[in-house]
Amino acid sequence: MLRSIYLITFLSLCISVMQAQDKLWEVNLKNKLYQVGWIEQTNDGLVLAAGAKGLAALDNNTGEIVWYNETLKSVDKNSFLNIPQLPMFYIEYNSLLGKKRGLLINSSNGEVLFDTKEEEYRLKNFTPIPEHAMILFELTKNKTRFVMKFSLKTWQEEWIVSVGKVKKQSLLEKSLGSISFIDHAPQFDNKGNMIIGMENDIYVFDANNGKQLWHYEAKNKIKALVYTQVNNNLYLGVKKSNKLKIFDPATGEDITPDKLKLRGYMIDLVKDDSGNLIL
């Protein structure tokens, strides 16, 4: 009986709160969108409304339409992705030719920053790197992996390069829903070259133009990949190996001393605050 009284009191309180709320604004979007399929909020607070006739962004305080794009019909809600801490989002929709296209959009004004057009790229993941004024996007196309440098200075794509074929995922990886193919976050050597590790591969690029400087393929999956500026060396640890390899990050030359053999298997390799390595 007491529980019933508490429940009735709680419901009455909720109804009272709902009745006390004032409607801030209301807008009819039938002419613009026909029907509103879904709504989301962008990082800068705009209300994004998608419909059969286009995509609109509304001021969340007034309901005023800030921008409208009639070409973006029936945008896939599952593709919507806010880029953290930036007025920027990604969406996918079907073009008039029936092909899926992806767009990176400035949420504040609706400007298209990157368009996959008919190239059929699909965005899988991204890594913001603010200290280098860039975002590294991971893309796929026809079972090939790509990385794209997007500049936070110009807000434009600077380059796209291939990083090999899409590898088959294990049942565990599929069940976990991993969408990133970069296993080791991008690192930069003392010349600003970008080092990335994925599965068995190391790729090193000139971060300015995307030119591949060198590539190394290990026999087994890379367990640790650490660059340190203390001696400008790149350290590699591979699964089920008792050897620690060292590379010259500029050339990919193996400069490992013969004595660097482990008594057991390496578990991890990390840097301390001074840049020294702990094995």
Side-chain angles (χ1 to χ4, degrees):
M1 182 67 180
L2 184 61
R3 181 177 179 182
S4 299
I5 294 173
Y6 281 144
L7 181 59
I8 293 171
T9 304
F10 175 72
L11 290 174
S12 299
L13 179 61
C14 290
I15 294 171
S16 299
V17 171
M18 291 174 65
Q19 290 176 340
Q21 291 179 339
D22 295 325
K23 182 189 295 184
L24 295 179
W25 50 264
E26 183 177 19
V27 59
N28 189 340
L29 295 173
K30 185 174 183 179
N31 291 334
K32 292 285 188 184
L33 305 180
Y34 181 61
Q35 289 181 335
V36 177
W38 54 267
I39 61 172
E40 289 284 354
Q41 190 167 31
T42 64
N43 290 332
D44 48 354
L46 297 180
V47 176
L48 200 65
K53 295 171 63 178
L55 185 70
L58 291 73
D59 186 307
N60 68 338
N61 294 309
T62 65
E64 178 185 358
I65 296 178
V66 178
W67 57 264
Y68 168 68
N69 190 323
E70 63 181 355
T71 64
L72 303 181
K73 298 176 173 64
S74 302
V75 173
D76 181 3
K77 181 181 180 180
N78 293 326
S79 70
F80 175 78
L81 183 64
N82 264 325
I83 308 302
Q85 301 178 346
L86 291 169
M88 189 187 304
F89 66 88
Y90 174 81
I91 51 97
E92 292 178 351
Y93 76 107
N94 288 322
S95 67
L96 294 176
L97 298 177
K99 293 185 177 180
K100 191 172 286 292
R101 292 172 65 169
L103 299 177
L104 195 63
I105 296 177
N106 183 338
S107 57
S108 64
N109 56 20
E111 178 188 0
V112 176
L113 303 171
F114 173 69
D115 186 348
T116 64
K117 297 181 180 179
E118 305 308 323
E119 294 293 329
E120 298 183 344
Y121 289 117
R122 301 292 301 277
L123 189 149
K124 293 299 181 182
N125 203 15
F126 60 91
T127 304
I129 312 175
E131 61 271 25
H132 290 272
M134 63 174 285
I135 302 175
L136 188 70
F137 286 97
E138 300 172 47
L139 311 169
T140 59
K141 173 187 174 183
N142 298 331
K143 297 184 179 181
T144 300
R145 305 175 300 193
F146 296 84
V147 289
M148 176 180 79
K149 178 186 177 183
F150 185 87
S151 172
L152 292 177
K153 293 180 180 178
T154 63
W155 278 50
Q156 292 179 343
E157 165 222 335
E158 291 196 353
W159 47 258
I160 298 178
V161 294
S162 169
V163 285
K165 295 293 183 180
V166 175
K167 303 290 179 70
K168 289 184 179 180
Q169 289 185 312
S170 66
L171 293 176
L172 177 60
E173 289 172 329
K174 289 181 179 179
S175 65
L176 293 175
S178 175
I179 58 174
S180 174
F181 50 72
I182 295 180
D183 299 308
H184 302 273
Q187 302 172 74
F188 294 83
D189 67 14
N190 59 5
K191 294 183 179 179
N193 298 320
M194 182 168 59
I195 305 161
I196 56 176
M198 53 188 73
E199 296 179 330
N200 297 38
D201 299 294
I202 302 172
Y203 288 91
V204 179
F205 299 99
D206 183 325
N208 294 315
N209 54 31
K211 179 182 177 181
Q212 181 178 305
L213 301 178
W214 58 274
H215 165 237
Y216 175 82
E217 184 176 3
K219 291 183 178 180
N220 291 312
K221 187 171 183 178
I222 295 172
K223 195 169 181 64
L225 185 65
V226 179
Y227 169 78
T228 174
Q229 290 187 342
V230 172
N231 55 9
N232 189 37
N233 284 345
L234 179 64
Y235 292 80
L236 167 68
V238 177
K239 186 177 181 181
K240 296 183 179 179
S241 173
N242 65 345
K243 294 181 181 180
L244 182 66
K245 284 186 175 291
I246 305 176
F247 294 98
D248 180 340
T251 63
E253 179 186 358
D254 188 338
I255 55 174
T256 312
D258 292 336
K259 63 182 179 181
L260 278 179
K261 293 183 180 180
L262 310 177
R263 291 183 179 275
Y265 295 141
M266 186 184 67
I267 297 175
D268 204 357
L269 184 70
V270 297
K271 285 191 293 187
D272 64 14
D273 293 337
S274 300
N276 299 309
L277 297 179
I278 302 172
L279 176 63

